[in-house]
Coordinates of all heavy atoms in Angstrom, one line a residue:
M1 N 109.0 118.6 110.5 CA 108.3 117.9 109.5 C 108.6 116.4 109.7 O 109.7 116.0 109.9 CB 108.8 118.3 108.1 CG 108.2 117.4 107.0 SD 108.8 117.9 105.4 CE 107.1 118.1 104.7
I2 N 107.5 115.5 109.6 CA 107.7 114.1 109.7 C 107.4 113.5 108.4 O 106.3 113.8 107.7 CB 106.7 113.5 110.7 CG1 107.0 114.1 112.1 CG2 106.8 112.0 110.7 CD1 106.0 113.6 113.2
I3 N 108.3 112.6 107.9 CA 108.1 111.9 106.7 C 107.9 110.5 107.1 O 108.8 109.9 107.7 CB 109.3 112.1 105.7 CG1 109.5 113.5 105.3 CG2 109.1 111.2 104.5 CD1 110.7 113.9 104.5
F4 N 106.8 109.8 106.7 CA 106.6 108.4 107.0 C 107.2 107.6 105.9 O 107.2 107.9 104.7 CB 105.1 108.1 107.1 CG 104.4 108.7 108.3 CD1 103.9 110.0 108.3 CD2 104.4 108.0 109.5 CE1 103.3 110.5 109.4 CE2 103.8 108.6 110.6 CZ 103.3 109.9 110.6
T5 N 107.8 106.4 106.3 CA 108.5 105.7 105.3 C 108.5 104.2 105.6 O 108.6 103.8 106.9 CB 110.0 106.1 105.1 OG1 110.6 105.3 104.1 CG2 110.8 106.0 106.4
K6 N 108.5 103.3 104.6 CA 108.7 101.9 104.8 C 110.2 101.6 104.5 O 110.5 100.5 104.7 CB 107.8 101.1 103.8 CG 106.4 101.1 104.3 CD 105.6 100.2 103.4 CE 104.2 100.0 104.0 NZ 103.4 99.1 103.2
G7 N 110.9 102.6 104.1 CA 112.4 102.4 103.7 C 113.3 103.1 104.5 O 114.0 104.0 104.0
M8 N 113.2 102.9 105.9 CA 114.0 103.7 106.8 C 115.5 103.7 106.5 O 116.1 104.8 106.4 CB 113.8 103.3 108.3 CG 114.5 104.1 109.3 SD 113.9 105.7 109.5 CE 112.4 105.5 110.4
P9 N 116.1 102.6 106.2 CA 117.6 102.6 105.9 C 117.9 103.5 104.7 O 118.9 104.3 104.8 CB 118.0 101.2 105.7 CG 116.9 100.4 106.5 CD 115.7 101.2 106.3
A10 N 117.2 103.4 103.7 CA 117.5 104.2 102.5 C 117.3 105.7 102.7 O 118.1 106.5 102.2 CB 116.6 103.8 101.3
L11 N 116.2 106.1 103.4 CA 116.0 107.5 103.6 C 116.9 108.0 104.6 O 117.4 109.2 104.5 CB 114.5 107.7 104.1 CG 113.4 107.8 103.0 CD1 112.1 108.3 103.6 CD2 113.9 108.6 101.9
T12 N 117.3 107.2 105.6 CA 118.3 107.7 106.6 C 119.6 108.0 105.8 O 120.2 109.1 106.0 CB 118.5 106.6 107.7 OG1 117.3 106.4 108.4 CG2 119.6 107.1 108.7
R13 N 120.1 107.1 105.0 CA 121.3 107.3 104.2 C 121.1 108.6 103.4 O 122.1 109.4 103.3 CB 121.6 106.1 103.4 CG 122.3 105.0 104.2 CD 122.7 103.9 103.2 NE 121.7 103.3 102.4 CZ 120.9 102.3 102.8 NH1 121.0 101.7 103.9 NH2 120.0 101.8 101.9
F14 N 120.0 108.8 102.7 CA 119.8 109.9 101.9 C 119.9 111.2 102.6 O 120.7 112.1 102.2 CB 118.4 109.8 101.2 CG 118.1 110.9 100.3 CD1 118.7 111.0 99.0 CD2 117.3 112.0 100.6 CE1 118.5 112.2 98.2 CE2 117.1 113.1 99.9 CZ 117.7 113.2 98.6
Y15 N 119.2 111.4 103.7 CA 119.1 112.7 104.4 C 120.4 112.8 105.1 O 120.9 114.1 105.3 CB 118.0 112.7 105.3 CG 116.7 113.0 104.5 CD1 115.9 112.0 104.2 CD2 116.4 114.3 104.1 CE1 114.7 112.2 103.5 CE2 115.3 114.6 103.3 CZ 114.4 113.6 103.0 OH 113.3 113.8 102.2
R16 N 121.1 111.8 105.6 CA 122.4 112.0 106.3 C 123.6 112.0 105.4 O 124.3 113.0 105.4 CB 122.6 110.8 107.3 CG 123.9 110.8 108.0 CD 124.1 109.5 108.8 NE 124.3 108.5 107.8 CZ 123.9 107.2 108.0 NH1 123.2 106.8 109.1 NH2 124.0 106.3 107.0
D17 N 123.7 111.1 104.5 CA 124.9 110.9 103.6 C 124.8 111.8 102.4 O 125.8 112.2 101.9 CB 125.2 109.4 103.3 CG 125.3 108.7 104.6 OD1 125.6 109.1 105.6 OD2 125.1 107.4 104.5
V18 N 123.7 111.8 101.7 CA 123.6 112.5 100.5 C 123.3 114.0 100.7 O 124.0 114.8 100.2 CB 122.5 111.9 99.6 CG1 122.3 112.7 98.3 CG2 122.8 110.4 99.2
L19 N 122.3 114.3 101.4 CA 122.0 115.8 101.8 C 122.9 116.3 102.8 O 123.1 117.6 102.9 CB 120.6 116.0 102.1 CG 119.5 115.7 101.0 CD1 118.1 116.1 101.4 CD2 119.9 116.5 99.7
G20 N 123.5 115.5 103.7 CA 124.5 115.9 104.6 C 123.9 116.6 105.9 O 124.5 117.3 106.5
L21 N 122.7 116.1 106.2 CA 122.0 116.7 107.4 C 122.5 115.9 108.6 O 122.8 114.7 108.6 CB 120.5 116.6 107.3 CG 119.8 117.3 106.1 CD1 118.3 117.0 106.2 CD2 120.1 118.7 106.1
R22 N 122.7 116.7 109.7 CA 123.2 116.0 111.0 C 122.1 115.3 111.7 O 120.9 115.7 111.9 CB 123.7 117.1 111.9 CG 124.3 116.6 113.3 CD 124.8 117.7 114.1 NE 123.8 118.5 114.7 CZ 123.0 118.3 115.7 NH1 123.2 117.2 116.4 NH2 122.1 119.1 116.1
L23 N 122.4 114.0 112.0 CA 121.4 113.1 112.7 C 121.3 113.5 114.1 O 122.4 113.4 114.8 CB 121.8 111.6 112.5 CG 120.9 110.6 113.1 CD1 119.5 110.6 112.4 CD2 121.5 109.2 112.9
K24 N 120.2 114.0 114.6 CA 120.1 114.4 116.0 C 119.6 113.3 116.9 O 119.9 113.2 118.1 CB 119.0 115.5 116.1 CG 119.5 116.8 115.5 CD 118.4 117.9 115.4 CE 117.8 118.1 116.8 NZ 116.9 119.2 116.9
S25 N 118.7 112.5 116.4 CA 118.1 111.4 117.2 C 118.0 110.1 116.3 O 117.6 110.1 115.2 CB 116.7 111.8 117.5 OG 116.0 110.7 118.3
D26 N 118.6 109.0 116.9 CA 118.6 107.8 116.2 C 117.9 106.6 117.0 O 118.6 106.0 117.8 CB 120.1 107.4 115.9 CG 120.2 106.2 115.0 OD1 119.3 105.6 114.6 OD2 121.4 105.9 114.7
E27 N 116.7 106.5 116.9 CA 115.9 105.5 117.7 C 115.3 104.5 116.6 O 115.1 104.8 115.5 CB 114.9 106.2 118.5 CG 115.4 107.2 119.5 CD 114.3 108.0 120.1 OE1 113.1 107.5 120.2 OE2 114.5 109.2 120.5
P28 N 115.0 103.3 117.1 CA 114.2 102.4 116.2 C 113.0 103.0 115.8 O 112.1 103.5 116.6 CB 114.0 101.1 117.1 CG 115.0 101.2 118.2 CD 115.3 102.7 118.4
G29 N 112.8 103.1 114.5 CA 111.6 103.6 113.9 C 111.5 105.1 113.8 O 110.4 105.7 113.4
W30 N 112.5 105.9 114.3 CA 112.5 107.3 114.4 C 113.9 107.9 114.2 O 114.9 107.5 115.0 CB 112.0 107.8 115.7 CG 111.9 109.2 115.9 CD1 112.9 110.0 116.5 CD2 110.9 110.1 115.5 NE1 112.5 111.4 116.4 CE2 111.3 111.4 115.9 CE3 109.7 110.0 114.9 CZ2 110.5 112.6 115.7 CZ3 108.8 111.0 114.7 CH2 109.3 112.4 115.0
K31 N 114.1 108.6 113.2 CA 115.4 109.3 112.9 C 115.1 110.8 112.7 O 114.2 111.2 112.0 CB 116.1 108.8 111.7 CG 116.1 107.3 111.5 CD 117.0 106.7 112.6 CE 117.1 105.2 112.4 NZ 117.2 104.4 113.5
E32 N 115.8 111.7 113.5 CA 115.5 113.1 113.4 C 116.8 113.8 113.0 O 117.8 113.6 113.5 CB 115.0 113.6 114.7 CG 114.5 115.0 114.8 CD 113.9 115.4 116.0 OE1 113.5 114.5 116.9 OE2 113.6 116.6 116.3
F33 N 116.6 114.7 112.0 CA 117.7 115.5 111.4 C 117.7 117.0 111.6 O 116.5 117.5 111.6 CB 117.8 115.2 109.9 CG 118.1 113.7 109.5 CD1 117.0 112.9 109.4 CD2 119.3 113.3 109.4 CE1 117.2 111.6 109.0 CE2 119.6 111.9 109.1 CZ 118.5 111.1 108.9
D34 N 118.8 117.6 111.9 CA 118.8 119.1 111.9 C 118.9 119.6 110.5 O 119.8 119.3 109.8 CB 120.0 119.5 112.7 CG 120.2 121.0 112.8 OD1 119.4 121.7 112.2 OD2 121.1 121.4 113.5
A35 N 117.9 120.3 110.1 CA 117.8 120.8 108.7 C 118.1 122.4 108.7 O 117.7 123.0 107.7 CB 116.5 120.5 108.0
G36 N 118.6 122.9 109.7 CA 119.0 124.3 109.7 C 117.7 125.2 109.8 O 117.1 125.6 108.9
G37 N 117.2 125.4 111.0 CA 116.0 126.1 111.2 C 114.7 125.3 111.4 O 113.7 125.8 111.8
C38 N 114.8 124.0 111.1 CA 113.7 123.1 111.3 C 114.3 121.7 111.4 O 115.5 121.5 111.1 CB 112.7 123.2 110.2 SG 113.2 122.5 108.6
D39 N 113.5 120.8 111.9 CA 113.9 119.4 111.9 C 113.1 118.6 111.0 O 112.0 118.9 110.7 CB 113.7 118.8 113.4 CG 114.6 119.4 114.3 OD1 115.7 120.0 114.0 OD2 114.4 119.2 115.6
I40 N 113.7 117.5 110.4 CA 113.0 116.6 109.5 C 113.1 115.2 110.3 O 114.3 114.8 110.6 CB 113.7 116.5 108.2 CG1 113.6 117.8 107.4 CG2 113.1 115.3 107.4 CD1 114.4 117.8 106.1
A41 N 112.0 114.6 110.5 CA 112.0 113.3 111.3 C 111.4 112.2 110.3 O 110.5 112.5 109.5 CB 111.1 113.4 112.5
L42 N 112.1 111.1 110.3 CA 111.6 109.9 109.6 C 110.9 109.0 110.5 O 111.5 108.8 111.6 CB 112.8 109.2 108.9 CG 113.7 110.1 108.0 CD1 114.8 109.2 107.4 CD2 112.9 110.7 106.9
H43 N 109.8 108.5 110.2 CA 109.0 107.7 111.1 C 108.5 106.4 110.4 O 108.1 106.5 109.2 CB 107.8 108.5 111.6 CG 107.0 107.8 112.7 ND1 106.4 106.7 112.5 CD2 106.7 108.3 113.9 CE1 105.8 106.4 113.7 NE2 106.0 107.4 114.6
N44 N 108.8 105.3 111.0 CA 108.3 104.1 110.3 C 106.8 104.1 110.1 O 106.1 104.5 110.9 CB 108.6 102.8 111.2 CG 110.0 102.3 111.0 OD1 110.7 102.6 110.0 ND2 110.4 101.5 111.9
G45 N 106.4 103.6 108.9 CA 105.0 103.6 108.5 C 104.7 104.1 107.2 O 105.6 104.4 106.4
T46 N 103.5 104.2 106.8 CA 103.0 104.6 105.5 C 102.2 105.9 105.6 O 101.7 106.2 106.7 CB 102.2 103.6 104.7 OG1 101.0 103.3 105.6 CG2 103.0 102.3 104.6
S47 N 102.2 106.7 104.6 CA 101.4 107.9 104.5 C 100.6 108.0 103.2 O 101.2 107.5 102.2 CB 102.3 109.1 104.7 OG 101.7 110.2 104.6
E48 N 99.5 108.4 103.2 CA 98.8 108.7 102.0 C 99.0 110.1 101.5 O 98.3 111.1 101.9 CB 97.3 108.5 102.3 CG 96.9 107.1 102.6 CD 97.0 106.1 101.4 OE1 96.9 106.5 100.3 OE2 97.4 105.0 101.7
V49 N 100.0 110.3 100.8 CA 100.4 111.6 100.4 C 99.4 112.0 99.3 O 99.0 111.2 98.5 CB 101.8 111.6 99.8 CG1 102.2 113.0 99.2 CG2 102.9 111.2 100.8
G50 N 99.0 113.3 99.4 CA 98.1 113.8 98.5 C 98.6 113.9 97.0 O 99.7 113.5 96.7
R51 N 97.8 114.4 96.1 CA 98.2 114.5 94.7 C 99.4 115.3 94.6 O 100.1 115.3 93.6 CB 97.0 115.0 93.9 CG 95.9 113.9 93.8 CD 94.7 114.6 93.2 NE 95.1 115.4 92.1 CZ 94.3 115.5 91.0 NH1 93.3 114.8 90.8 NH2 94.7 116.4 90.0
R52 N 99.6 116.4 95.4 CA 100.7 117.2 95.4 C 101.4 117.2 96.7 O 101.0 118.1 97.6 CB 100.3 118.7 95.0 CG 101.5 119.5 94.7 CD 101.1 120.8 94.1 NE 102.2 121.6 93.8 CZ 102.2 122.8 93.3 NH1 101.0 123.4 93.1 NH2 103.3 123.5 93.0
P53 N 102.3 116.4 96.9 CA 102.9 116.3 98.3 C 103.8 117.4 98.6 O 104.2 118.2 97.8 CB 103.8 115.0 98.1 CG 104.2 114.9 96.7 CD 103.0 115.4 96.0
P54 N 104.0 117.7 100.0 CA 104.9 118.7 100.4 C 106.2 118.6 99.8 O 106.7 117.5 99.4 CB 104.9 118.5 101.9 CG 103.9 117.6 102.3 CD 103.5 116.8 101.1
K55 N 106.9 119.7 99.6 CA 108.3 119.7 99.1 C 109.2 120.4 100.0 O 108.9 121.5 100.5 CB 108.3 120.5 97.7 CG 109.6 120.5 97.0 CD 109.7 121.4 95.8 CE 108.6 121.1 94.8 NZ 108.7 121.9 93.6
L56 N 110.3 119.8 100.4 CA 111.3 120.4 101.1 C 112.2 121.3 100.2 O 112.5 120.9 99.1 CB 112.2 119.4 101.8 CG 111.6 118.4 102.8 CD1 112.6 117.3 103.1 CD2 111.1 119.1 103.9
V57 N 112.5 122.5 100.7 CA 113.3 123.4 99.8 C 114.5 123.8 100.7 O 114.4 124.3 101.8 CB 112.5 124.7 99.4 CG1 113.4 125.6 98.6 CG2 111.3 124.3 98.6
F58 N 115.7 123.5 100.1 CA 117.0 123.9 100.8 C 117.6 125.0 100.1 O 117.8 125.0 98.9 CB 117.9 122.6 100.8 CG 117.4 121.4 101.5 CD1 116.7 120.5 100.8 CD2 117.5 121.3 102.8 CE1 116.1 119.3 101.4 CE2 117.0 120.2 103.5 CZ 116.3 119.2 102.8
F59 N 118.0 126.0 100.9 CA 118.7 127.1 100.3 C 120.1 126.9 100.0 O 120.9 126.2 100.8 CB 118.7 128.4 101.3 CG 119.6 129.5 100.9 CD1 119.1 130.4 99.9 CD2 120.8 129.7 101.4 CE1 119.9 131.4 99.4 CE2 121.6 130.7 100.9 CZ 121.1 131.6 100.0
S60 N 120.7 127.4 98.9 CA 122.1 127.3 98.5 C 122.4 128.6 97.7 O 121.7 128.9 96.7 CB 122.4 126.1 97.7 OG 123.8 126.1 97.3
A61 N 123.4 129.3 98.1 CA 123.8 130.4 97.3 C 124.4 130.1 96.0 O 124.4 130.9 95.0 CB 124.8 131.3 98.1
E62 N 124.8 128.8 95.9 CA 125.5 128.3 94.7 C 124.8 127.0 94.3 O 125.3 125.9 94.6 CB 127.0 128.1 94.9 CG 127.7 129.4 95.3 CD 129.2 129.1 95.5 OE1 129.8 128.3 94.8 OE2 129.8 129.8 96.3
V63 N 123.7 127.1 93.6 CA 122.9 126.0 93.3 C 123.7 124.9 92.4 O 123.6 123.7 92.7 CB 121.6 126.4 92.6 CG1 120.8 125.1 92.1 CG2 120.7 127.2 93.6
A64 N 124.4 125.4 91.4 CA 125.1 124.5 90.5 C 126.1 123.7 91.3 O 126.3 122.5 91.1 CB 125.8 125.3 89.4
K65 N 126.9 124.4 92.2 CA 127.9 123.7 93.0 C 127.3 122.7 93.9 O 127.8 121.6 94.0 CB 128.7 124.8 93.8 CG 129.9 124.2 94.5 CD 130.6 125.3 95.3 CE 131.8 124.8 96.1 NZ 132.6 125.9 96.7
T66 N 126.2 123.1 94.6 CA 125.5 122.2 95.5 C 124.9 121.0 94.7 O 125.1 119.8 95.1 CB 124.4 122.9 96.2 OG1 124.9 124.0 97.0 CG2 123.6 122.0 97.1
R67 N 124.4 121.2 93.5 CA 123.8 120.1 92.7 C 124.9 119.1 92.4 O 124.7 117.9 92.5 CB 123.2 120.7 91.4 CG 122.7 119.6 90.5 CD 122.1 120.3 89.2 NE 121.6 119.3 88.3 CZ 122.3 118.6 87.4 NH1 123.6 118.9 87.3 NH2 121.7 117.7 86.6
E68 N 126.1 119.6 91.9 CA 127.2 118.7 91.6 C 127.6 117.9 92.8 O 127.9 116.6 92.6 CB 128.3 119.4 91.0 CG 128.1 120.0 89.6 CD 127.7 119.0 88.6 OE1 128.3 117.9 88.5 OE2 126.7 119.2 87.9
A69 N 127.7 118.5 93.9 CA 128.1 117.7 95.1 C 127.1 116.7 95.5 O 127.4 115.6 95.8 CB 128.3 118.7 96.3
L70 N 125.8 117.0 95.4 CA 124.8 116.1 95.7 C 124.7 114.9 94.7 O 124.5 113.8 95.1 CB 123.4 116.7 95.8 CG 123.3 117.7 97.0 CD1 121.9 118.4 97.0 CD2 123.4 117.0 98.3
L71 N 124.9 115.2 93.4 CA 124.9 114.1 92.4 C 126.0 113.2 92.7 O 125.8 111.9 92.6 CB 125.1 114.8 91.0 CG 123.9 115.5 90.4 CD1 124.3 116.2 89.1 CD2 122.7 114.5 90.1
K72 N 127.2 113.6 93.1 CA 128.3 112.7 93.4 C 128.0 111.9 94.6 O 128.6 110.8 94.7 CB 129.5 113.6 93.7 CG 130.1 114.2 92.4 CD 131.3 115.0 92.7 CE 131.9 115.7 91.5 NZ 133.0 116.6 91.8
R73 N 127.0 112.3 95.5 CA 126.7 111.5 96.6 C 125.5 110.6 96.4 O 125.0 110.0 97.3 CB 126.5 112.4 97.8 CG 127.8 113.1 98.2 CD 127.8 113.8 99.6 NE 126.7 114.7 99.8 CZ 126.8 115.8 100.5 NH1 127.9 116.3 100.9 NH2 125.7 116.5 100.7
G74 N 125.0 110.6 95.2 CA 123.9 109.7 94.8 C 122.5 110.4 94.7 O 121.6 109.6 94.5
A75 N 122.4 111.7 94.8 CA 121.1 112.3 94.7 C 120.6 112.2 93.3 O 121.3 112.2 92.4 CB 121.1 113.7 95.2
K76 N 119.3 112.2 93.1 CA 118.6 112.2 91.8 C 118.1 113.6 91.7 O 117.1 114.0 92.4 CB 117.5 111.1 91.7 CG 118.1 109.8 91.7 CD 117.0 108.7 91.6 CE 117.6 107.4 91.6 NZ 116.7 106.3 91.5
L77 N 118.7 114.4 90.7 CA 118.3 115.8 90.5 C 118.1 116.1 89.0 O 118.8 115.5 88.2 CB 119.4 116.7 91.0 CG 119.6 116.7 92.6 CD1 120.9 117.2 93.0 CD2 118.5 117.5 93.2
G78 N 117.2 117.0 88.7 CA 117.0 117.4 87.4 C 118.0 118.5 87.1 O 118.9 118.8 87.9
K79 N 117.8 119.2 85.9 CA 118.6 120.2 85.5 C 118.3 121.5 86.3 O 117.2 121.7 86.8 CB 118.4 120.5 84.0 CG 118.9 119.3 83.2 CD 118.8 119.7 81.7 CE 119.3 118.4 80.9 NZ 119.2 118.6 79.5
I80 N 119.3 122.4 86.3 CA 119.0 123.7 86.9 C 118.2 124.6 86.1 O 118.4 124.7 84.8 CB 120.4 124.4 87.2 CG1 121.2 123.6 88.3 CG2 120.1 125.9 87.8 CD1 122.5 124.1 88.5
K81 N 117.1 125.2 86.6 CA 116.3 126.2 86.0 C 116.7 127.5 86.5 O 116.7 127.7 87.7 CB 114.8 125.9 86.2 CG 114.5 124.5 85.7 CD 113.0 124.2 86.1 CE 112.6 122.8 85.8 NZ 111.3 122.5 86.3
S82 N 116.9 128.5 85.5 CA 117.3 129.9 86.0 C 116.4 130.9 85.3 O 116.2 130.8 84.1 CB 118.7 130.1 85.6 OG 119.6 129.2 86.3
K83 N 116.0 131.9 86.0 CA 115.3 133.0 85.5 C 115.4 134.2 86.4 O 115.1 134.1 87.6 CB 113.8 132.6 85.3 CG 113.0 133.8 84.6 CD 111.6 133.3 84.3 CE 110.8 134.4 83.6 NZ 109.5 134.2 83.3
D84 N 115.7 135.4 85.9 CA 115.8 136.6 86.7 C 116.6 136.4 87.9 O 116.2 137.0 89.0 CB 114.4 137.1 87.0 CG 113.6 137.4 85.7 OD1 114.2 137.8 84.7 OD2 112.3 137.2 85.7
G85 N 117.7 135.7 87.9 CA 118.6 135.6 89.1 C 118.1 134.5 90.0 O 118.9 134.2 91.0
L86 N 117.0 133.9 89.8 CA 116.6 132.7 90.6 C 117.1 131.4 90.0 O 116.8 131.2 88.8 CB 115.0 132.7 90.7 CG 114.4 131.6 91.5 CD1 114.9 131.5 92.9 CD2 113.0 131.5 91.4
D87 N 117.8 130.6 90.7 CA 118.2 129.3 90.3 C 117.6 128.2 91.2 O 117.6 128.4 92.4 CB 119.7 129.2 90.4 CG 120.5 130.2 89.6 OD1 120.1 130.5 88.4 OD2 121.6 130.7 90.0
L88 N 117.1 127.2 90.5 CA 116.5 126.1 91.3 C 116.7 124.7 90.6 O 116.9 124.7 89.4 CB 115.1 126.3 91.7 CG 114.1 126.6 90.5 CD1 113.5 125.3 90.0 CD2 113.0 127.6 91.0
C89 N 116.7 123.7 91.4 CA 116.9 122.4 90.9 C 116.0 121.5 91.7 O 116.0 121.5 92.9 CB 118.4 122.0 91.0 SG 118.8 120.4 90.4
E90 N 115.2 120.6 91.0 CA 114.3 119.7 91.6 C 114.9 118.3 91.8 O 115.7 117.9 90.9 CB 113.0 119.6 90.8 CG 112.4 120.9 90.4 CD 111.6 121.5 91.6 OE1 111.3 120.8 92.5 OE2 111.4 122.7 91.5
G91 N 114.6 117.6 92.8 CA 115.0 116.3 93.1 C 114.0 115.5 93.8 O 112.9 116.0 94.3
T92 N 114.3 114.1 94.1 CA 113.4 113.3 94.9 C 114.3 112.5 95.8 O 115.4 112.1 95.4 CB 112.5 112.4 94.1 OG1 113.3 111.6 93.2 CG2 111.5 113.2 93.2
D93 N 113.8 112.2 97.0 CA 114.4 111.2 97.9 C 114.1 109.8 97.4 O 113.3 109.6 96.5 CB 114.1 111.5 99.3 CG 112.7 111.2 99.7 OD1 112.0 110.4 99.0 OD2 112.3 111.6 100.8
P94 N 114.6 108.8 98.0 CA 114.4 107.4 97.6 C 112.9 106.9 97.6 O 112.5 106.0 97.0 CB 115.2 106.6 98.5 CG 116.4 107.4 98.9 CD 115.8 108.8 99.0
D95 N 112.0 107.6 98.5 CA 110.7 107.2 98.5 C 109.8 108.1 97.5 O 108.6 107.9 97.5 CB 110.1 107.5 99.9 CG 110.2 106.3 100.8 OD1 110.9 105.3 100.4 OD2 109.7 106.4 102.0
G96 N 110.5 109.0 96.8 CA 109.8 109.8 95.8 C 109.3 111.1 96.3 O 108.6 111.9 95.6
N97 N 109.7 111.5 97.6 CA 109.3 112.8 98.1 C 110.1 113.9 97.4 O 111.3 113.8 97.4 CB 109.6 112.8 99.6 CG 108.7 111.8 100.4 OD1 107.5 111.8 100.3 ND2 109.4 110.9 101.1
P98 N 109.4 114.9 96.9 CA 110.2 116.0 96.2 C 111.0 116.9 97.1 O 110.5 117.2 98.3 CB 109.1 116.7 95.5 CG 107.9 116.5 96.4 CD 108.0 115.1 97.0
F99 N 112.0 117.4 96.6 CA 112.8 118.4 97.3 C 113.4 119.4 96.2 O 113.4 119.0 95.1 CB 113.9 117.9 98.2 CG 115.0 117.3 97.6 CD1 116.2 118.1 97.3 CD2 115.1 115.9 97.2 CE1 117.3 117.5 96.7 CE2 116.1 115.4 96.6 CZ 117.3 116.1 96.4
Q100 N 113.8 120.5 96.6 CA 114.4 121.5 95.7 C 115.6 122.2 96.4 O 115.6 122.4 97.6 CB 113.3 122.5 95.4 CG 113.7 123.6 94.4 CD 112.5 124.6 94.3 OE1 112.5 125.6 95.0 NE2 111.6 124.4 93.4
I101 N 116.5 122.5 95.5 CA 117.7 123.4 95.9 C 117.4 124.7 95.2 O 117.2 124.7 94.0 CB 119.0 122.8 95.4 CG1 119.2 121.3 95.8 CG2 120.2 123.7 95.9 CD1 119.1 121.1 97.3
S102 N 117.4 125.8 96.0 CA 117.1 127.1 95.5 C 118.0 128.2 96.1 O 118.4 128.1 97.2 CB 115.6 127.4 95.8 OG 115.2 128.7 95.5
N103 N 118.2 129.2 95.3 CA 119.0 130.3 95.9 C 118.1 131.5 96.3 O 118.5 132.6 96.6 CB 120.0 130.9 94.8 CG 119.4 131.5 93.6 OD1 118.2 131.4 93.4 ND2 120.2 132.2 92.9
R104 N 116.8 131.2 96.4 CA 115.8 132.2 96.9 C 116.0 132.4 98.4 O 115.7 131.4 99.1 CB 114.4 131.8 96.5 CG 113.4 132.8 97.0 CD 112.0 132.4 96.7 NE 111.9 132.0 95.3 CZ 110.8 131.9 94.6 NH1 109.6 132.2 95.1 NH2 110.9 131.5 93.4
A105 N 116.4 133.5 98.9 CA 116.6 133.7 100.3 C 115.2 134.1 100.9 O 114.5 134.9 100.3 CB 117.6 134.8 100.5
G106 N 114.9 133.5 102.0 CA 113.7 133.8 102.7 C 113.8 135.2 103.3 O 114.9 135.7 103.6
K107 N 112.7 136.0 103.3 CA 112.8 137.3 103.8 C 111.9 137.5 105.1 O 111.0 136.8 105.3 CB 112.1 138.2 102.7 CG 113.0 138.1 101.5 CD 112.8 139.4 100.6 CE 113.5 139.1 99.3 NZ 114.4 139.8 98.7

């Protein structure tokens, strides 16, 4: 996945330092992160995101624990929503791109 940004330093810090993703490639105008099963790349520039932009979803068996750790590192996250054993928490990166922490395991 490529996310276009005019705020490369802030998004780099967010995905590396706040979410804790490993930086795989560090080039001018291009930062690529290992997101476990896929890569997230940041690219200099702008994007016309639609009315409902894509959302990154990160798995965590312990959503509350992960939420607390991310809050301490500066992430902006809402409250945990729980129903029928599913826990999730919504957040946004510094450019306003949505992401979610969820305990829903892919099948």
